Amino acid sequence: MSTLYASRLALARLLCIYKTDTSIKLARTLYLDALQDKWKIDRKQLITIAQECDYISMDRMMAECRKLGIRYIEREEKREVPAPVKSDKNQSFATILTEATGMFQTNNGDDDDNQRVSFYSDESQLTTSSNNIAIILLNLTAIVSKYETG
């Protein structure tokens, strides 16, 4: 396991304890960074799907979530025997997705701006509701959980 990945998860979990606007935003960023680096979940693609989740059908949303996690899914589908049970829960994709879902569902106040998640790239800024990101992460969890045992 990468030290950077483990550090991001540990710091994000620690920041959750404080529940300030700044700590929650930073924890969310750290979870997204960890998902992108370890599990190859593209942040821009995730936020784009989350922006659309209020308007698209469930079938389309699940198809988009499958695309989001396709690298993991294809690797697991190629296995001839099921993957062994992970003793380190930081190595469990479904566990980390579930944690991240909870982080994005965290309501830290009444101010809507605190419940927004942004992605900045050279070309643009994408912003969406943290609850929409939680919905996408939960759907992705439903898709990938069948590949993990234990």
Side-chain angles (χ1 to χ4, degrees):
M1 171 174 44
S2 137
T3 304
L4 181 58
Y5 170 73
S7 298
R8 283 179 172 150
L9 291 178
L11 183 55
R13 291 167 180 153
L14 181 63
L15 288 166
C16 292
I17 294 170
Y18 296 103
K19 296 212 183 249
T20 66
D21 294 344
T22 304
S23 68
I24 296 297
K25 285 181 181 181
L26 182 55
R28 288 174 176 164
T29 299
L30 289 166
Y31 269 104
L32 290 177
D33 289 345
L35 287 171
Q36 185 163 324
D37 290 347
K38 169 80 174 164
W39 304 104
K40 309 304 180 216
I41 301 301
D42 183 75
R43 182 188 309 215
K44 183 177 180 181
Q45 185 181 4
L46 172 67
I47 292 176
T48 300
I49 298 167
Q51 286 177 318
E52 298 173 352
C53 83
D54 290 334
Y55 311 104
I56 61 176
S57 70
M58 190 62 166
D59 287 341
R60 181 162 169 234
M61 187 185 311
M62 293 303 278
E64 292 297 323
C65 289
R66 183 173 169 77
K67 288 181 200 172
L68 193 60
I70 197 67
R71 291 176 97 184
Y72 174 83
I73 293 166
E74 286 178 344
R75 183 186 77 206
E76 293 302 312
E77 286 178 345
K78 288 179 185 175
R79 288 183 186 272
E80 292 184 17
V81 295
V85 175
K86 309 283 191 227
S87 60
D88 179 1
K89 291 300 179 184
N90 289 329
Q91 297 300 315
S92 167
F93 192 23
T95 299
I96 299 305
L97 285 171
T98 302
E99 271 187 29
T101 299
M103 171 50 51
F104 283 94
Q105 289 176 331
T106 301
N107 187 347
N108 194 39
D110 297 329
D111 187 0
D112 254 358
D113 286 343
N114 292 329
Q115 303 308 315
R116 310 288 299 164
V117 177
S118 297
F119 171 79
Y120 300 93
S121 67
D122 295 338
E123 310 89 45
S124 63
Q125 174 187 353
L126 299 173
T127 304
T128 192
S129 157
S130 64
N131 284 330
N132 286 7
I133 294 204
I135 290 167
I136 299 305
L137 292 174
L138 190 59
N139 285 323
L140 183 56
T141 305
I143 293 168
V144 304
S145 64
K146 75 178 190 177
Y147 299 106
E148 293 191 8
T149 56

